[in-house]
Amino acid sequence: MATIVKSYEPTFWDKLYLPALMRGLIVTFRHFFRKNVTIQYPDQKHIPPEGYRGLHRLNKYPEGRIKCVACEMCSAACPADCIHIIPGPSPWDGGKERYPVRFDIDLLRCIFCGFCEMACPEEAIELTEIYDFSDYTRDDLVIDKEGLLEVYDLTKDQNYYTKKNLSKASSVNTSIDT
Ligand code: SF4
Ligand code: SF4
């Protein structure tokens, strides 16, 4: 049996539109007095929570020697196959025999899973809080060893996005890489 649906007949107040308009304005005014949840990016930066996995860095010892020993455990663990290392004999005396002559990460392939960080026996590779990096070409989004060491210098104090570092933060894109 067919169902008859009656079309909606607007009431007198509906036809005036004023009550609906007032209801909408009340919602708008209520939001005037609430705390903003938006920020004025890029002048203001969101500070990510601890443990956020952003742009990678290669760590150094206090005397400046790179911690990486080019064992390639990170590239073996990487599910995206985006870490490429060329090892060479270490130029420093004592202990570690190898170091990375080249160390590239293809940031467009990376899925920021953190497996490289977990696989590293030297705590040499780490993911930082930096999330706002960009560039114009695919090639420029391959970060190299010098870029990764520069990220270490920028993030070693764990205050990259604090007000103190905002001027630096605004300048970071992957143009720091190559
Ligand atoms: S975060 Fe994951 S995908 Fe990115 S380089 Fe490390 S292991 Fe590879
Ligand atoms: S970053 Fe760590 S895991 Fe990767 S090559 Fe260097 S020492 Fe090995």
Side-chain angles (χ1 to χ4, degrees), residues 56 74 77-83 105 109-117 127:
H56 314 62
C74 52
C78 176
D81 193 22
C82 61
I83 303 178
I105 300 179
R109 290 185 66 117
C110 176
I111 54 171
F112 299 91
C113 61
F115 283 7
C116 49
E117 185 180 276
L127 273 66

Side-chain angles (χ1 to χ4, degrees), residues 143-160:
I143 188 165
D144 67 3
K145 185 176 77 175
E146 283 67 38
L148 292 162
L149 291 170
E150 195 175 336
V151 176
Y152 171 78
D153 291 332
L154 288 171
T155 57
K156 63 182 176 212
D157 299 326
Q158 304 288 331
N159 62 355
Y160 183 77

